[in-house]
Amino acid sequence: MNLDDTTPRGPADPPPLLEADLPWNHPLARALSRLGRRLKQGDRHRPWILDTAVTAVVALLFCVPDLVHDGDRRHHPFDPEFTHLSLAGTLALQAGLVLPLLWRRRRPFPAFGVITAVFVLQLALGVWLRADVAVLIALYSLVLHGELRRLPVACAVTAGALGLVAARLPTGVHVLDALFFLFSAITAAVALGLAVRIRRAQLSVLRDRATRLEVERDQRSRLAAAAERTRVAREMHDIVGHNLSVIITLADGGAYANDRAPERGKEALLLIGDTGRQALGELRRMLGVLREQPVAPSAPELSPQPGVGDIEALCERIRAAGPRVVHRSEGDLRTLDPGVQLAVYRIVQEALTNALKHGGRDTRVDLAVGVEGTRLTIDVHDTGPGTGTVRPRPHDDEGHGIAGMRERAGLYDGTVAAGPGPDGGWTLRATLDLTPPAGSDLAPPAVAGGAA
């Protein structure tokens, strides 16, 4: 039932049930609930207190009346069918029935066995005691705390013992009526024990499930944080690694050309400034997404991530650093999903950065991006370092760059293959599958969202 239901009601409809009207929200119910929680907490630390209290209450309610009225025969309802014992004999039988209740939870089956044995001995002596209620308490404790495979034996023993009681009742009481009430008592004790046991098991399962859900929630949070760190690290690597490689190459070229052609050195410095400002802007946009709120009203606004339309500008920056870049494209690339365009741009950026870093300023880079049906291919080939270059190409060390490209291609069921080319250079080929996921009309998700 919805407690906040505001649907119009007719005059004959009952008034809505308020939260305060619920039974478990009554002050008395809440007080009893708090008391129960405190008792459970105390019982976990000192279980002997509750066992002693139960034993004392049974002795007070069912043993003391037999001792107080021991001399008054009128208080024995079934005289003269039952034998009247002395005070010492009554105390002995009462002790045998009540004292085993002290370990009814720790050793439920032995306690039940002792109480039942004393009860049978009492019946053999022909004695009637109010403390016989301990048999039902022991049976309840056995159902609640003991092994259920012993329950049929315990119920059969109890039924047999109570059947002897029914046989010893006065002739005015019909045996079937007596058996009905006695067996009803057995059924009530067993049913109550089973109900409490099932309820405790359900609560235990719910607590375990809540604990597992908390653990799974924490794990999901950690996995999400790890995935986000990986995504940010990949973006930062693409931004910082590419721009720093261009800046370093321009700085080296400018320093070399400063003495021979000062105007070339000045041009290199201007390009370094432009590349640095572009990198700083991309970093600000990236960090602005990670903040919950902008630190100032003048914080940079969100802008779209780069796509295939920005590849030519990327090639121009690489050309400014020295390498000759030949770029060609096939197919309608601008209609691709923004996430696919970002993945293509980052793969091309990383490939050109590696060509600049390892091939040097004198290398030639051939870049081809094409779409054919649902398959997109990226081919990048450079001619390697020029003559006299002493920096070796790290063919066997893929580093984080190629790993990042493979992660981006893997988002679209693609692959990345890289290795040395036939002319001593380096060749990279990446393929992406543009087929939408089965059962969905949505395009594959973006690597870093639609804006940064």
Side-chain angles (χ1 to χ4, degrees):
M1 178 181 293
N2 187 1
L3 300 181
D4 298 328
D5 188 9
T6 57
T7 304
R9 300 176 182 272
D13 294 333
L17 185 61
L18 301 178
E19 186 73 19
D21 296 335
L22 296 174
W24 50 83
N25 288 329
H26 192 274
L28 180 59
R30 292 187 175 184
L32 292 176
S33 178
R34 288 193 298 268
L35 178 61
R37 287 195 297 268
R38 292 179 181 177
L39 290 177
K40 289 181 180 179
Q41 184 177 3
D43 185 53
R44 282 194 296 267
H45 295 87
R46 298 178 180 86
W48 58 270
I49 294 180
L50 180 59
D51 295 334
T52 304
V54 170
T55 304
V57 169
V58 173
L60 181 64
L61 295 179
F62 300 101
C63 295
V64 172
D66 282 337
L67 297 176
V68 170
H69 304 294
D70 184 67
D72 190 354
R73 304 291 292 179
R74 292 173 300 173
H75 291 276
H76 290 269
F78 299 139
D79 271 354
E81 299 292 335
F82 288 94
T83 305
H84 176 66
L85 291 180
S86 62
L87 179 60
T90 303
L91 286 173
L93 290 177
Q94 288 179 343
L97 291 171
V98 176
L99 291 181
L101 295 177
L102 290 171
W103 63 84
R104 64 183 181 87
R105 293 192 296 176
R106 291 169 294 174
R107 298 290 186 270
F109 194 76
F112 173 80
V114 172
I115 293 175
T116 305
V118 174
F119 179 68
V120 172
L121 176 62
Q122 169 195 329
L123 293 178
L125 296 176
V127 178
W128 171 270
L129 294 175
R130 294 180 176 87
D132 294 337
V133 72
V135 176
L136 299 178
I137 298 176
L139 180 61
Y140 162 80
S141 301
L142 175 62
V143 175
L144 181 59
H145 304 288
E147 300 178 2
L148 292 181
R149 61 185 179 85
R150 297 180 176 181
L151 180 59
V153 177
C155 292
V157 172
T158 306
L162 294 182
L164 296 177
V165 173
R168 294 291 304 272
L169 291 177
T171 55
V173 180
H174 197 278
V175 175
L176 294 180
D177 294 338
L179 289 176
F180 172 77
F181 287 105
L182 292 175
F183 287 170
S184 297
I186 297 176
T187 304
V190 173
L192 181 60
L194 289 175
V196 176
R197 183 167 185 153
I198 293 173
R199 178 60 177 169
R200 290 183 178 180
Q202 290 176 341
L203 292 177
S204 178
V205 170
L206 291 177
R207 284 192 294 266
D208 292 342
R209 184 171 179 233
T211 303
R212 288 196 304 271
L213 289 176
E214 291 179 359
V215 173
E216 292 176 0
R217 179 197 61 192
D218 296 339
Q219 290 177 346
R220 285 194 299 268
S221 299
R222 288 193 293 268
L223 290 175
E228 184 66 12
R229 285 195 299 268
T230 302
R231 182 188 70 83
V232 173
R234 187 167 56 234
E235 292 293 321
M236 297 291 286
H237 173 271
D238 293 339
I239 295 171
V240 177
H242 165 73
N243 290 286
L244 283 181
S245 297
V246 174
I247 289 173
I248 292 172
T249 304
L250 289 173
D252 291 340
Y256 177 78
N258 188 40
D259 297 332
R260 300 184 180 182
E263 66 281 0
R264 296 285 294 174
K266 181 179 179 180
E267 181 182 356
L269 291 177
L270 293 176
L271 290 174
I272 289 174
D274 293 339
T275 305
R277 280 188 291 272
Q278 180 184 359
L280 183 60
E282 292 183 5
L283 287 176
R284 283 177 175 173
R285 286 194 295 269
M286 172 63 65
L287 297 178
V289 174
L290 300 179
R291 299 190 184 100
E292 294 182 358
Q293 295 179 351
V295 296
S298 59
E301 297 181 356
L302 300 180
S303 61
Q305 286 278 34
V308 293
D310 301 304
I311 293 180
E312 185 58 37
L314 175 64
C315 294
E316 288 295 334
R317 291 198 299 271
I318 296 296
R319 293 189 188 105
R324 292 168 294 168
V325 181
V326 178
H327 171 220
R328 69 179 186 275
S329 60
E330 298 178 358
D332 192 0
L333 300 177
R334 295 183 180 274
T335 60
L336 296 176
D337 179 78
V340 178
Q341 294 194 36
L342 176 62
V344 172
Y345 180 87
R346 292 305 187 194
I347 292 175
V348 171
Q349 183 185 48
E350 182 64 30
L352 295 179
T353 302
N354 288 338
L356 175 63
K357 185 187 303 181
H358 303 297
R361 300 176 64 251
D362 299 329
T363 188
R364 172 190 169 94
V365 183
D366 293 316
L367 169 63
V369 180
V371 175
E372 184 177 355
T374 59
R375 182 183 179 87
L376 185 146
T377 59
I378 304 172
D379 290 304
V380 183
H381 174 71
D382 66 76
T383 58
T387 305
T389 303
V390 298
R391 291 176 299 174
R393 184 65 179 251
H395 294 291
D396 298 331
D397 184 11
E398 293 187 351
H400 298 285
I402 294 182
M405 287 189 283
R406 285 177 174 163
E407 289 181 5
R408 292 184 183 277
L411 293 176
Y412 300 95
D413 295 331
T415 58
V416 174
D423 54 357
W426 193 260
T427 299
L428 182 141
R429 182 178 180 84
T431 61
L432 280 70
D433 186 4
L434 305 181
T435 305
S440 174
D441 295 333
L442 300 176
V447 176

